[in-house]
Amino acid sequence: MPKIVAFACEHSAYEAAAAAAALGQKTGETMPMEATVPGENPGFQVGRVGGVEIVKVPCTGRVEVIDILKALEGGADGVIVLGCFEEACHYLTGNVRAKKRVGYVRRLIRDIGIEEDRIQFFHLAPDMDARFSRIIEEFSRQVENMGPGPATGITVTGIGTGAREQGLATGEQAQAARAR
Amino acid sequence: MIVAEQKPVAEILRMIDGYRRILVVGCGTCVTVCMAGGEKEAGILASLIRMAWAREGRLSPLIDVSEATVERQCEWEFLGDIAEKVAASDAVLSMGCGAGVQAMARMFEGKVVLPALNTKFIGMPERQGLWTELCAGCGDCVLDRTGGICPIARCSKSLLNGPCGGSQNGKCEVSKDIDCAWQLIFDRMKSLGRLEALGTVLPPKDWFKNRDGGPRKVVREDMLL
Ligand code: SF4
Ligand code: SF4
């Protein structure tokens, strides 16, 4: 089974996933909820339903472009963002934004030659455990057909990942620069 | 602020072709605000490059694509802190505006510094996700005579005594999506009760203050050390 990461809104899709897990519609596994995603968003909780990694988010509007890319880079073969139906977002328009953002990331990965369908957005309501299972099955099948994902395996070594460099250069460096 | 947008990824990939250790450098000022080259965007671009290269089977322990963001790329004072990372890279991909790229190119002698953005203009966000040009940096501001609306940057013909005959229903003849700057100026002067001022013909502009004699300089004697 391909490796799938699902960002799920806690007000809808996450409930659906939990219900699906409880009903055993997928594999019957219950979802352990202690783990956290390291790195970018220490606040996200992760669980599993079947082979799918479910990342619980307060709203899909909270999912950033970089979160999706990091999931792919980190080894996911496909990433889905599961939000409330339009008009049903707890925060009014978080799901609409998330959907647009997913469209943006799809274009980004298409530009570098990666199948855009590796990233998709779906709407769910909390009681839609059956729809959740169907989405996962269908998506897994699609992703499987695409072959392995774009995980890099490149270790980002010493020269730093994303930390904002602030403060002053040493006086010498600044002076040397000015002198040039 | 300076408004910029990212170059197409394909163009960036062509630019860095042949280098193995890339440092993507974001800038924490203008381009962060216009969402083109801040910390977030640097992270996104670095991730895309890594995946693109992985796709091409370029994986090797020698490959390194990482990112760092400085508060302001166009000031030496902020560049010192990334000196080591720059030294460890083959090429620096700047996500600052043209000034940022050039500041780094001067600071880091002997290092290839490449632009990841196209620097567009001086402007402001109209609303979230939309920026418009407001000032062309002409060097001799006339906003006092035009109700605070710039005819150089916002009139398609940079007319000083507009509108031209093409102004229709408030729109510019160049496109129905462009407001006629001179209509805006007229409306604004009217609301300011200064319409009669528009009767004064503006003299030709002193373009010597613009693109004459190479790069322009601003000097403040009292601030020089
Ligand atoms: S390099 Fe300077 S001018 Fe350019 S975006 Fe950064 S702060 Fe603004
Ligand atoms: S008149 Fe010149 S300086 Fe003033 S806003 Fe227009 S372009 Fe900028």
Side-chain angles (χ1 to χ4, degrees), chain B residues 121-143:
Chain B
F121 48 74
I122 305 173
M124 67 175 280
E126 201 87 47
R127 52 190 165 88
Q128 170 96 347
L130 174 68
W131 294 266
T132 337
E133 178 169 19
L134 291 180
C135 170
C138 76
D140 188 20
C141 195
V142 300
L143 288 176

Side-chain angles (χ1 to χ4, degrees), chain A residues 40 64-66 68-70 72-73 97 104-105 108-109 111-115 118 146-170 173-174 177-180, chain B residues 6 9-10 13 21-23 28 32 39-40 43-44 46-55 59-60 63-71 76-85 88-89 106-109 128:
Chain A
E40 300 291 312
E64 304 254 16
V65 173
I66 192 71
I68 299 175
L69 291 178
K70 288 267 152 131
L72 276 184
E73 236 201 296
R97 292 204 181 156
Y104 178 75
V105 190
L108 286 180
I109 62 164
D111 286 351
I112 56 168
I114 293 168
E115 304 82 357
R118 286 187 189 275
M146 291 175 211
T152 62
I154 294 177
T155 37
V156 181
T157 59
I159 61 184
T161 45
R164 168 77 69 91
E165 303 298 332
Q166 285 178 335
L168 300 177
T170 63
Q173 279 168 326
R178 269 196 212 97
R180 282 202 277 275
Chain B
Q6 195 186 302
V9 185
L13 289 174
R21 291 169 303 162
I22 306 286
L23 181 66
T32 290
E39 189 173 352
K40 269 189 192 176
I44 291 168
S47 176
L48 286 173
I49 295 171
R50 287 192 292 267
M51 283 194 272
W53 281 6
R55 261 285 136 121
L59 294 183
S60 108
I63 294 283
D64 190 302
V65 182
S66 28
E67 69 262 21
T69 299
V70 293
E71 195 63 34
W76 309 125
E77 280 76 1
F78 296 101
L79 295 179
D81 281 356
I82 55 166
E84 263 176 44
K85 292 176 184 175
S89 69
R106 254 172 89 179
M107 172 98 175
F108 304 118
E109 215 176 311
Q128 170 96 347

Side-chain angles (χ1 to χ4, degrees), chain B residues 2 27 29-31 72-74 97 100:
Chain B
I2 311 262
C27 172
T29 311
C30 312
V31 291
R72 251 198 305 288
Q73 266 184 40
C74 57
C97 72

Side-chain angles (χ1 to χ4, degrees), chain A residues 73-92:
Chain A
E73 236 201 296
D77 300 307
V79 179
I80 40 176
V81 180
L82 307 170
C84 304
F85 281 90
E86 274 172 40
E87 312 286 318
C89 174
H90 228 70
Y91 304 96
L92 304 179

